[in-house]
Amino acid sequence: MKITLSIIDMIIIFMALQGSVMAGLLFCSAKRISSNKWLASFMLVIISATLVMEFFNSDLAWKYPLAIPFIPILRMTIGPLTYFYTRSLIYGDKKLNRKDYLHFLPLVMDMQPQLINLLYFTGILGIPGVTRIYSSQQIQQFLFSGNVLYNLPALCSLLIYTGLSYNLIHKVLQHTEPSTHKLKDLKWLQTFLYAEFALIIIFMAGIILTLISSWNNYFLFIPAISLVYWLGMATYFRQAKMSFTDVTEYNKPPVKIHFTITEAEKYQQQLYTLMNTDLIYLNPALKLDILAGRLMISEKLLSSLLNQHMGKNFNDFINEYRVIEAKKKLADPSLNHFTIAAIAADCGFNSLATFQRCFKQFTGGTPSHYQNSLKPQNHYTT
């Protein structure tokens, strides 16, 4: 039997081979950006499905029928790979637990040739009852006709996981602050998911068309292999421009945003009132939970407010106010009879060592040096 390939077939195979090279490069780059291994796996599954389609379209399946049991059909992994790539891109590499592996359990539905051959070689098909069921017209039609029911699980899986991935990105963009390069990749991933939704529509149309007419697989696999080719090229060359610092920032999980800008401004104003009017920082027993209670928010939310919107942690925020108060007292001549330790305690510091450390942190000098610099200098004339 002579095998002939059309120009379209040759282009598809060429793009599949090019895509395989790009997938290999992404696997190698997974040491820098771990999510690339999921993207590369996704690409290889699409490439595998495309080459399987070519295997059957070119009549190779009829020439080498014994090869069919050894050809993996991996369509049911496309959806989970999309989801795990999205999750890895957002949160970094996570070790899969037992529940995560359940996402790939439907792959058994694509192992039809392997299961049939397993039944054959184990002799189970030789059992009269099994032989009768296996030989029935309905079972034979379901197993070998490629009907709608055969394609429906793959369509549902792809639709569900693409939807979950899109919803995950939408939540992250709304409630977190990813790094600059991560933000670009998330928006790029949104575009990719739009393309995947388009493939789902084509796939769905193909299932419907098989009910009323013949369906040409080229309408699905040409866009699919083109998507893979674009994925590999776009990802590799975009990441090649990233510096070591960019990669470090990229691999950090996004910081969760607990407040909108309006809410943050409201709580900041309340916080400034507590500090400037109520002088709450003078309380040496002031802790995060006490301040959070005055604002009527949780400690976690107060930490988020200080870290994300004010750029300070709790201790630095409070101690800076205490140092400013100490500077006022050190500059007041009427308080010269007080020791530095007494002034420190009066400003809310629990120890002189902590006061001196914080004072130097915010002013660059020691309390005694600051106090001496304010005294009038004596000038002698001859």
Side-chain angles (χ1 to χ4, degrees):
M1 178 185 294
K2 186 177 180 180
I3 305 301
T4 59
L5 294 173
S6 68
I7 294 178
I8 295 179
D9 290 317
M10 294 175 65
I11 292 174
I12 290 176
I13 292 173
F14 174 77
M15 293 181 71
L17 294 176
Q18 284 284 89
S20 300
V21 173
M22 296 310 302
L25 292 174
L26 289 176
F27 265 122
C28 293
S29 68
K31 292 181 179 180
R32 295 174 67 239
I33 299 176
S34 58
S35 58
N36 283 352
K37 66 184 179 184
W38 292 107
L39 180 59
S41 300
F42 171 87
M43 293 170 61
L44 289 176
V45 168
I46 298 292
I47 291 167
S48 171
T50 304
L51 293 178
V52 168
M53 182 272 295
E54 288 292 341
F55 178 78
F56 284 97
N57 277 9
S58 63
D59 293 332
L60 281 170
W62 297 104
K63 188 175 182 180
Y64 303 105
L66 294 179
I68 294 177
F70 301 99
I71 297 175
I73 309 296
L74 305 172
R75 298 178 311 162
M76 296 300 292
T77 66
I78 296 176
L81 287 174
T82 300
Y83 174 74
F84 282 111
Y85 170 58
T86 303
R87 194 180 75 171
S88 178
L89 184 66
I90 294 171
Y91 300 111
D93 194 24
K94 291 184 177 181
K95 187 176 181 180
L96 296 185
N97 54 42
R98 292 182 180 179
K99 290 183 179 179
D100 289 331
Y101 286 108
L102 293 177
H103 290 274
F104 297 96
L105 187 60
L107 178 63
V108 176
M109 300 175 66
D110 277 336
M111 298 177 66
Q112 173 188 305
Q114 289 78 14
L115 293 175
I116 292 174
N117 277 272
L118 179 64
L119 293 174
Y120 176 78
F121 285 113
T122 56
I124 295 177
L125 281 181
I127 300 174
V130 176
T131 303
R132 185 167 55 253
I133 295 173
Y134 177 77
S135 302
S136 67
Q137 184 179 353
Q138 293 82 359
I139 295 297
Q140 289 290 304
Q141 186 177 6
F142 174 75
L143 292 176
F144 302 108
S145 65
N147 58 21
V148 174
L149 293 178
Y150 176 72
N151 290 314
L152 207 54
L155 173 65
C156 293
S157 172
L158 190 56
L159 184 60
I160 291 170
Y161 281 103
T162 304
L164 288 173
S165 301
Y166 184 85
N167 185 56
L168 187 58
I169 295 174
H170 182 70
K171 286 183 177 180
V172 167
L173 292 177
Q174 274 194 327
H175 302 293
T176 64
E177 290 182 340
S179 63
T180 303
H181 286 280
K182 180 67 70 67
L183 181 61
K184 288 182 179 178
D185 260 18
L186 288 176
K187 290 184 176 180
W188 169 84
L189 184 54
Q190 274 188 319
T191 303
F192 159 66
L193 291 176
Y194 290 142
E196 196 160 278
F197 276 124
L199 286 179
I200 291 172
I201 293 173
I202 296 173
F203 193 10
M204 191 181 301
I207 292 176
I208 295 172
L209 286 174
T210 53
L211 298 175
I212 56 178
S213 64
S214 60
W215 163 249
N216 194 322
N217 284 326
Y218 289 141
F219 288 109
L220 176 61
F221 282 97
I222 289 177
I225 201 63
S226 300
L227 174 64
V228 166
Y229 189 78
W230 168 72
L231 269 178
M233 297 290 286
T235 304
Y236 182 79
F237 287 110
R238 184 178 63 257
Q239 293 177 357
K241 299 176 182 178
M242 294 169 61
S243 65
F244 177 80
T245 304
D246 293 333
V247 172
T248 302
E249 286 295 319
Y250 186 93
N251 288 327
K252 290 181 180 178
V255 180
K256 188 173 182 179
I257 298 174
H258 296 91
F259 298 103
T260 64
I261 295 176
T262 303
E263 289 173 337
E265 289 176 350
K266 181 187 75 172
Y267 284 114
Q268 284 181 59
Q269 198 59 45
Q270 293 178 13
L271 192 56
Y272 290 138
T273 300
L274 287 173
M275 305 304 288
N276 298 321
T277 304
D278 297 354
L279 306 181
I280 193 173
Y281 59 87
L282 296 179
N283 177 9
L286 182 64
K287 300 293 182 183
L288 183 67
D289 59 337
I290 296 175
L291 188 56
R294 292 292 297 271
L295 292 172
M296 292 187 291
I297 60 176
S298 68
E299 296 176 44
K300 183 178 180 181
L301 289 177
L302 177 55
S303 294
S304 175
L305 178 69
L306 292 169
N307 293 328
Q308 295 183 19
H309 297 277
M310 304 180 75
K312 300 174 183 178
N313 60 38
F314 171 77
N315 288 330
D316 285 347
F317 178 73
I318 298 300
N319 288 333
E320 187 173 9
Y321 272 93
R322 289 171 173 169
V323 168
I324 293 173
E325 183 67 23
K327 287 173 67 177
K328 292 178 183 178
K329 293 183 181 297
L330 290 170
D332 188 349
S334 64
L335 300 177
N336 284 345
H337 59 286
F338 285 102
T339 64
I340 290 178
I343 290 176
D346 198 39
C347 293
F349 286 100
N350 287 311
S351 72
L352 180 60
T354 302
F355 171 58
Q356 290 176 330
R357 176 179 56 79
C358 292
F359 196 93
K360 191 170 185 178
Q361 175 186 347
F362 294 111
T363 67
T366 62
S368 57
H369 182 270
Y370 175 78
Q371 191 176 43
N372 290 331
S373 69
L374 297 175
K375 293 180 180 179
Q377 300 295 321
N378 295 321
H379 300 281
Y380 296 92
T381 59
T382 58

